[in-house]
Amino acid sequence: MLELEIYQIVNLLGFILGSAFGMIAQKRQFCFSGSIKDYILTKSTMRGASVVMAMIVAIISTFFVSSYFELDLTNTVYYKNNLNYFAIIFGGALFGVGMMLADGCSNRHLIKFAQGDKNSLISIVFIGIFAFATTRGLLNGFLDPFVNNPTLIEWSSKLENFTMNIYFIIAVLLILLKVLVRHAVRLPNLWDGVLIGLLVAAAWFITSVIGSESIERMIDPAGITFVYPTAKTLELFMLYQVNELSFSISLIVGIVFGAFLMSKFNRKYSFGCTSAKGEHRVRNNMIGGAMMGTGGILSIGCTVGQGLTGLSTLAFASLVAIVSIFVSGYFTAKYLNKKDQLPMCFIFEWGDNRTDYQI
């Protein structure tokens, strides 16, 4: 009988978790950037409500997991020392522009690629290249004086990266959810947000509880995030001798597999429609991917990495990051729509024949 080491079990569970995420996201087209685009183009709030529901469930479920197993999430990257809020805000703004320009954030392009959008592969590659370049490559030398600037870090230290009050954050998110949903009968439509929120807590459990038993290999607590893991996945593909399979890489592979598998049953989503506004599609995918790769590293995460995983730890810095991404993405989408360059492939509506969901 095959016996697996703890780190191998963690990697396998990462693949399974990623596959579940990919299947859910493909089935429902779960997307942070898409929720912004939906509202600007059609005033639809359904995908936005799913994102908020995922935030609520991720925070609550992670709170129970961390409390029950006595996990100290302040030891994670979201509470790192010498925090530079200026870099986080700039990175978030950069990421927000990039995700709207490329028509999707990092996890969205993994889903789109798996279901047949060839242009998304361009964004994925550029996200990985520029994330790696920002972390350890050419761009690191240019950006390090900004990221590790003593003056900016000192100014940032005046606003401590504290753990936010869970009751206050949940209350704010519930109010926002009520505004987006309007009618309680619509709540069952947000099952994708519920499941994805639970997957965030499951990732913490796998890496922090199961992974803590690993002797052969050190496993750091990690949630669901996509920017740097995409870079590490590309590195493993090209230079397998100097890299090793990890939970985050297994997650990326699982997401692509799960989305591809679900796309064989859920065939209604096709991205050929972007060609109508696609005269600059390849260029935008390249530039947008580069901006997301660099921005995601500076902001310590992407829409899911900060908006769900980081926020689930209640780190104030994660709130700063996701607000920066949202504000930047919203105004970029408004600008692109004004220029008639904001593509819309599908209409996402509640399906209950109500017309009063608009804010």
Side-chain angles (χ1 to χ4, degrees):
M1 185 175 180
L2 180 64
E3 293 186 5
L4 299 177
E5 304 291 352
I6 295 295
Y7 75 90
Q8 294 173 321
I9 294 174
V10 168
N11 291 342
L12 178 61
L13 291 175
F15 176 80
I16 294 172
L17 189 148
S19 298
F21 188 106
M23 294 177 72
I24 297 166
Q26 197 285 329
K27 175 66 175 177
R28 297 284 289 179
Q29 300 295 288
F30 181 90
C31 180
F32 190 101
S33 61
S35 67
I36 297 175
K37 187 170 67 172
D38 289 352
Y39 179 71
I40 289 175
L41 291 173
T42 68
K43 301 301 180 185
S44 172
T45 59
M46 190 181 77
R47 288 204 290 177
S50 286
V51 170
V52 174
M53 177 62 82
M55 290 178 175
I56 294 171
V57 175
I59 291 172
I60 294 175
S61 56
T62 297
F63 175 79
F64 280 112
V65 168
S66 61
S67 297
Y68 185 82
F69 292 101
E70 298 181 345
L71 305 180
D72 184 6
L73 297 181
T74 61
N75 291 325
T76 62
V77 66
Y78 304 105
Y79 287 88
K80 73 171 192 174
N81 296 325
N82 298 324
L83 198 70
N84 185 342
Y85 284 116
F86 298 91
I88 289 176
I89 293 171
F90 175 71
L94 202 63
F95 189 95
V97 174
M99 75 178 186
M100 301 313 302
L101 194 62
D103 192 27
C105 55
S106 46
N107 79 284
R108 178 63 174 156
H109 280 294
L110 292 170
I111 303 300
K112 289 171 67 176
F113 168 64
Q115 61 189 15
D117 185 356
K118 296 183 290 294
N119 284 332
S120 283
L121 179 59
I122 298 173
S123 289
I124 293 170
V125 170
F126 271 76
I127 288 170
I129 291 173
F130 276 78
F132 202 87
T134 303
T135 307
R136 290 193 284 169
L138 179 65
L139 291 179
N140 180 264
F142 290 101
L143 293 171
D144 185 72
F146 168 60
V147 175
N148 294 310
N149 185 285
T151 301
L152 296 181
I153 292 175
E154 182 182 356
W155 289 349
S156 297
S157 67
K158 298 184 184 302
L159 181 58
E160 184 182 356
N161 182 22
F162 60 93
T163 300
M164 298 180 292
N165 184 284
I166 186 173
Y167 301 107
F168 174 76
I169 294 299
I170 293 298
V172 171
L173 290 174
L174 285 174
I175 292 171
L176 179 57
L177 184 66
K178 184 179 186 301
V179 171
L180 295 174
V181 173
R182 290 297 178 96
H183 301 282
V185 71
R186 291 175 172 150
L187 289 175
N189 285 314
L190 307 181
W191 60 266
D192 57 329
V194 174
L195 293 180
I196 286 177
L198 291 173
L199 290 178
V200 171
W204 286 123
F205 172 77
I206 292 169
T207 58
S208 300
V209 179
I210 299 178
S212 65
E213 301 295 325
S214 177
I215 299 175
E216 301 80 7
R217 186 181 298 175
M218 178 68 68
I219 299 176
D220 295 323
I224 301 177
T225 189
F226 298 102
V227 174
Y228 191 58
T230 297
K232 296 296 289 182
T233 303
L234 291 177
E235 182 190 30
L236 178 64
F237 178 73
M238 295 183 296
L239 302 168
Y240 67 93
Q241 300 97 333
V242 298
N243 198 0
E244 58 188 19
L245 188 64
S246 65
F247 172 82
S248 296
I249 294 175
S250 301
L251 187 77
I252 296 291
V253 176
I255 285 171
V256 175
F257 173 78
F260 174 76
L261 184 64
M262 179 58 72
S263 70
K264 297 306 174 184
F265 300 95
N266 187 38
R267 295 178 177 272
K268 65 180 179 178
Y269 296 112
S270 170
F271 290 85
C273 60
T274 57
S275 61
K277 297 183 179 181
E279 61 272 15
H280 302 302
R281 208 65 244 142
V282 172
R283 183 197 69 184
N284 288 349
N285 280 103
M286 292 170 63
I287 297 174
M291 295 177 76
M292 284 188 283
T294 297
I297 296 299
L298 295 179
S299 61
I300 322 178
C302 56
T303 48
V304 172
Q306 283 286 27
L308 294 183
T309 299
L311 202 60
S312 74
T313 71
L314 297 172
F316 176 71
S318 295
L319 178 64
V320 172
I322 195 60
V323 169
S324 300
I325 293 173
F326 173 81
V327 172
S328 173
Y330 178 81
F331 284 106
T332 301
K334 292 281 285 185
Y335 172 78
L336 291 174
N337 187 44
K338 185 177 180 180
K339 303 279 287 185
D340 196 31
Q341 295 179 5
L342 192 64
M344 187 66 173
C345 296
F346 307 101
I347 305 296
F348 296 92
E349 297 178 339
W350 291 100
D352 55 8
N353 298 320
R354 295 179 183 268
T355 59
D356 56 347
Y357 63 84
Q358 299 178 8
I359 299 176

